[in-house]
Structures are given as structure tokens and as C-alpha cells.
Amino acid sequence: GIPVQGYTALAKGDAIHVDVVFVVDTSASTGRNTTYDLNKDGKADTVLDVEIYACERLMNRLKSKHVRCGVVKFARYHTKNAASGGESDGPILAEQTRVVQPLTIEKEDVQLGLDTVTAEGAKGGTHTAAGIDLALQAFTDAPPAESDKDVIPVRHIVLLTDGIPTLPIEPGETQEDGDRLATLAAAQRAAAAKVQIHPVVIDSVDAERRLTTMPSVQAISGVPGGLTRVGLHNIHDLPGKLDKMTFAGIDEIQVHDL
């Protein structure tokens, strides 16, 4: 096993309980090809494929009866009904942004949720704030981790994206100041709820472009360690980077090759 930095005090019971929600960007830009085949299916992976691969690899590390996982997908959240510069409040687009799998210890159910995300494909803008908020709702809606309702799990969001929020401010195709501010506000809500956010950026456009929002999310949420980021030039390094990610509250994890 690999020892991981985390909390030393135990909650009531025989182990710390940990909840992890995978928040997956499924916006249209994640449909871009990467030219790599990390999931070894014989085809070049899209960014979305790489995001799902990352979820699967991390989930494979978290095989414990004390770890629950869930899945959220996000793209556009509200049907567009505002002009450029405004914020739409039309009907929610559940096919693009929703909790796909509530928290569960059944990793087979989590895998089915990831398979659903893959099957539904890449479409829409990038409402990162909605993805974070839905993950917070998933934590709130989850039943107690065990019979003792006083046990509060250590909670983590793994935020997988190609890096740039483009919503809630219209037109939803470029990053506006309001998109960044909304994302940071959601990160602050997570921090207030004592939820840690681990951004994983798979950048298929330009690995050297300056990212501001995701590092800020990481800083606000107080995640141990740094932002995980790969581009086309080093996407093959992602498995090693994922294996080095730490999750506070887990004293030891196992690394398995997929």
C-alpha cells in the first residue's frame, strides 16, 4: 500500500468514512481527441474518455467498505433564455447536468454511472459552478455513513475538466468574468461545508495556456497538494499523477493497474 497524508484522529467506529464525488465536465470541448489511448480500447481517447479513465483509476484505488463514491456530470445547466452578458434561468437541462449516481459503496453502480456519462457524450457549455453545487447536494442527500448519524465522512470532490468555465454567463461559449466568479463562489461554498476539491485538468487545446480559475478553486478549497494538469504533450503522465493524489482521511490506499 501507499501511505497517504490525512487525519490522524478517528471518527466514531473502526475507521474514518470517506465520500468522493467525481464531477465530470461533459461540455462540447471534451469531445476533442487527444491522440492517446489511455483506456486501451484501440481508439484515440477524447478528453471525456480520459476523464472517465481518471475516475476509474481513482475509484480502483478506493476499494474500501468505508469509501463511498458518486458521479455528477456538468455542461449547460439552464436552457438559454438570456442575452449575452446575462444569466439564463430557463428549465434545467438534466440530460446535460445532474447527479448521475448518488453516493454508494457499490463500485459496480459507480461504474454504471460512469458508463452512462460516456454514452451520453459531450455537448453544451461548461457550468463548473453547477457541477460543484450538485456534488455538495449529493453529500447532503446521502444517508448516514453508518448507523451512528453523528459520523460525518471526510468529503472530497474530484473535479475533472478541460479547464475553462463558460457559464452561467451567456453566451456560454467563452469564459466571462461572471463564469469565473460563480465557480469561485461555488468553491467557497464547498470550503464552508468542509469539502475538499481536487481539480484534474485535461487540456487538449494548449498545454501552456494560462489557467486562472482552476488553481484558484484549488487554493480556496484548501486541497492538499497541487493542481493535477496534463496536456497533449504529457497526457501519458496522467496515470502516475493520479496515483500520487492524496485524499485526507484515507490512511492507506492500494494502487491497481486497470
Side-chain angles (χ1 to χ4, degrees):
I2 295 179
V4 174
Q5 293 180 351
Y7 300 115
T8 56
L10 292 177
K12 292 181 180 180
D14 59 357
I16 291 177
H17 291 267
V18 177
D19 287 344
V20 179
V21 176
F22 298 113
V23 178
V24 184
D25 179 356
T26 62
S27 60
S29 59
T30 66
R32 295 190 181 104
N33 281 325
T34 66
T35 74
Y36 284 87
D37 183 18
L38 287 179
N39 62 16
K40 299 177 183 177
D41 66 353
K43 301 181 295 183
D45 296 331
T46 64
V47 171
L48 179 54
D49 291 331
V50 175
E51 290 176 332
I52 297 300
Y53 166 86
C55 294
E56 291 171 343
R57 190 174 187 94
L58 290 171
M59 183 175 65
N60 213 36
R61 293 174 59 193
L62 302 173
K63 290 184 175 179
S64 166
K65 64 181 180 179
H66 299 295
V67 178
R68 298 186 296 189
C69 294
V71 179
V72 167
K73 62 175 286 187
F74 70 95
R76 174 177 281 276
Y77 193 36
H78 289 280
T79 302
K80 184 176 181 178
N81 64 354
S84 293
E87 184 172 342
S88 291
D89 59 359
I92 290 174
L93 296 170
E95 70 274 16
Q96 291 193 31
T97 301
R98 70 182 188 278
V99 176
V100 179
Q101 173 57 56
L103 285 161
T104 177
I105 62 171
E106 301 298 335
K107 298 306 187 288
E108 294 83 0
D109 291 341
V110 181
Q111 183 62 59
L112 288 173
L114 294 173
D115 292 344
T116 296
V117 174
T118 298
E120 292 180 352
K123 179 181 180 182
T126 311
H127 198 326
T128 308
I132 294 172
D133 284 336
L134 283 173
L136 296 180
Q137 190 61 48
F139 292 127
T140 299
D141 291 344
E146 58 178 36
S147 57
D148 188 343
K149 294 184 179 180
D150 293 332
V151 173
I152 299 176
V154 181
R155 297 176 294 184
H156 300 267
I157 291 172
V158 178
L159 175 60
L160 303 108
T161 179
D162 57 2
I164 304 295
T166 65
L167 286 165
I169 305 303
E170 299 297 355
E173 299 170 358
T174 55
Q175 181 176 244
E176 309 299 333
D177 287 344
D179 302 327
R180 184 171 183 269
L181 292 174
T183 303
L184 298 182
Q188 290 173 322
R189 289 189 287 274
K194 299 182 178 179
V195 174
Q196 297 183 14
I197 304 176
H198 306 258
V200 177
V201 178
I202 297 97
D203 196 334
S204 69
V205 179
D206 178 359
E208 302 305 321
R209 67 176 173 171
R210 182 169 176 263
L211 293 180
T212 56
T213 305
M214 289 304 111
S216 298
V217 164
Q218 193 271 339
I220 286 174
S221 60
V223 178
L227 172 77
T228 300
R229 183 185 185 190
V230 294
L232 290 181
H233 70 295
N234 68 338
I235 201 167
H236 54 276
D237 292 336
L238 182 61
K241 290 176 178 286
L242 294 172
D243 292 345
K244 292 178 182 178
M245 283 181 63
T246 61
F247 291 87
I250 303 177
D251 294 323
E252 183 171 310
I253 56 177
Q254 300 293 324
V255 174
H256 305 272
D257 285 330
L258 293 177

